[in-house]
Amino acid sequence: LAEGETCLFYTDGVPEAPGRHARFGDDRMREVLEATGACHASAQVESVAVALSAHLRDRAHDDIAILAIQASPR
């Protein structure tokens, strides 16, 4: 990773999370990350978690894990 770049890892439960009409999906993940832009890794994870929670509403879902690593300045 170059300085400031982030690599986001997540389990398949994230894109497969059920919503009212559709799963969370890769396109929604991409939209959330594009809207978040370049920021600290923890903010990116938080943005995905908030969007996922809003998508799920009160539906129970398991197998959700999100991990980000970010290259720090030297």
Side-chain angles (χ1 to χ4, degrees):
L1 294 175
E3 183 178 314
E5 285 185 329
T6 303
C7 185
L8 188 72
F9 300 92
Y10 50 91
T11 59
D12 63 348
V14 174
E16 293 175 359
R20 185 170 179 198
H21 299 289
R23 298 190 182 275
F24 190 74
D26 294 328
D27 291 338
R28 191 178 322 263
M29 172 68 83
R30 203 170 1 269
E31 289 171 8
V32 170
L33 294 174
E34 286 174 358
T36 303
C39 61
H40 195 273
S42 62
Q44 290 179 340
V45 170
E46 182 70 17
S47 294
V48 172
V50 167
L52 189 58
S53 179
H55 179 77
L56 283 167
R57 293 191 180 176
D58 60 350
R59 290 173 205 73
H61 188 60
D62 63 352
D63 185 31
I64 294 175
I66 307 166
L67 170 73
I69 58 171
Q70 187 172 54
S72 61
R74 295 182 181 191

